[in-house]
Structures are given as structure tokens and as C-alpha cells.
Amino acid sequence: MRHVPLTVQLLKLIARFNRAIGIKNEVSLSLDTFTAYLSSDLGNAFNPAHLHVYQDMTKPLSHYYINSSHNTYLLGDQLRSKSSVEAYTRALQLGCRCVELDCWDGPKGEPIIYHGHTFTSRILFKVGPPPRVGTLSLVAEFAHAGGACVSPGGGLRA
């Protein structure tokens, strides 16, 4: 088998896709040429075996999709905003079934929740009765009310 230099292979490939979109006698990679390549079988990034449904897709959508939340506790940007226990309540009441508890060691050794290494405010992780209800208490209360559950590892699962 004869070795064809990569440059020659690329030029032939570009010429092939240029012809496919109606460009003749030009060897330049235009956006249209590149798009034609990506849309072809050669440029397909997906596994061809997955073109056909190979899993059981007869269940309700909620069995495949979980409404989740990232940085659930933040009321604004992830560098300087306020953190809020109530943000967990709101997310769970709106149907979120997976929330993030971003736990860090607090100044007194007590776990806190905040976006680490930033200027966001901190909220307590602790569990306690009102009026000193911590984040975990609210998450557990509203998660169970919404059909989700708190796993023994502390995460929240549907």
C-alpha cells in the first residue's frame, strides 16, 4: 500500500466537498465546505450505532430526565452574590429534583455552603428546628414533599 502524504489527502478531501457544494477548480476550505464535511458521514462525531434507538424509551420523560440545579444557593453571579437557604426551597418547589450542596469547612469547624474561593456569602449546612433551620433541614423537608429523597451520602436524588 502506497503512502499518500497528509497534505495530499487533505487537498483531495477539500476538493471532494467543494464539488459537493458546487465549487469547482478551487482548493480552499470555506465555511460551506467545512459544514458539508461535518454534515457528512466522514465528519460525523456521533457513533453510527446510536442512530437507531437501542434503549427502552417507553417510559415517561421524567424517568430519563432529571430537573437539576447548579449553584442552587446563589441569588446572583457566582463570584460576589448572596447565598440563600430559601433558594433551595424555591428550586425544589419548582420541580427541581437534584440540588447542589457545595459544602466547605466553616471558620468554627462547622460545615457551611458557599461557592468556594469566591466572595459569595455563606449559609449554614446544619440541621435544626425553627427558627434556626439549616440548609439540610429545608432540603430534606421540601425534597420529600416533592417526591425526591435525600440519600444517606447527603446528596439529593429523584
Side-chain angles (χ1 to χ4, degrees):
M1 185 169 172
R2 194 182 84 172
H3 175 72
V4 180
L6 184 59
T7 308
V8 173
Q9 292 177 39
L10 289 174
L11 291 173
K12 285 182 179 181
L13 196 62
I14 291 169
R16 172 182 165 187
F17 286 100
N18 274 342
R19 284 190 306 275
I21 62 170
I23 299 174
K24 296 179 181 175
N25 302 324
E26 189 175 324
V27 186
S28 65
L29 183 62
S30 67
L31 178 60
D32 290 336
T33 306
F34 188 59
T35 302
Y37 167 74
L38 290 177
S39 301
S40 74
D41 288 341
L42 285 176
N44 193 347
F46 299 102
N47 183 342
H50 294 176
L51 291 175
H52 305 287
V53 176
Y54 63 97
Q55 297 169 324
D56 176 13
M57 302 303 279
T58 61
K59 307 287 186 223
L61 182 60
S62 62
H63 288 207
Y64 307 101
Y65 172 80
I66 296 176
N67 188 357
S68 64
S69 173
H70 177 68
N71 293 339
T72 308
Y73 48 92
L74 294 178
L75 298 178
D77 69 73
Q78 56 186 5
L79 295 176
R80 305 176 308 262
S81 69
K82 183 179 180 212
S83 301
S84 166
V85 174
E86 290 77 22
Y88 285 102
T89 304
R90 184 177 62 248
L92 291 165
Q93 286 176 328
L94 290 172
C96 185
R97 300 192 59 195
C98 178
V99 296
E100 177 183 16
L101 299 171
D102 206 350
C103 301
W104 291 78
D105 289 332
K108 298 177 185 173
E110 189 174 69
I112 58 172
I113 294 176
Y114 88 108
H115 200 265
H117 308 294
T118 66
F119 299 106
T120 60
S121 65
R122 286 122 168 99
I123 54 178
L124 294 177
F125 181 85
K126 71 180 180 179
V127 178
R132 297 185 51 168
V133 175
T135 305
L136 194 58
S137 296
L138 281 175
V139 169
E141 177 186 342
F142 285 95
H144 289 293
C149 65
V150 177
S151 72
L156 181 69
R157 291 186 216 188

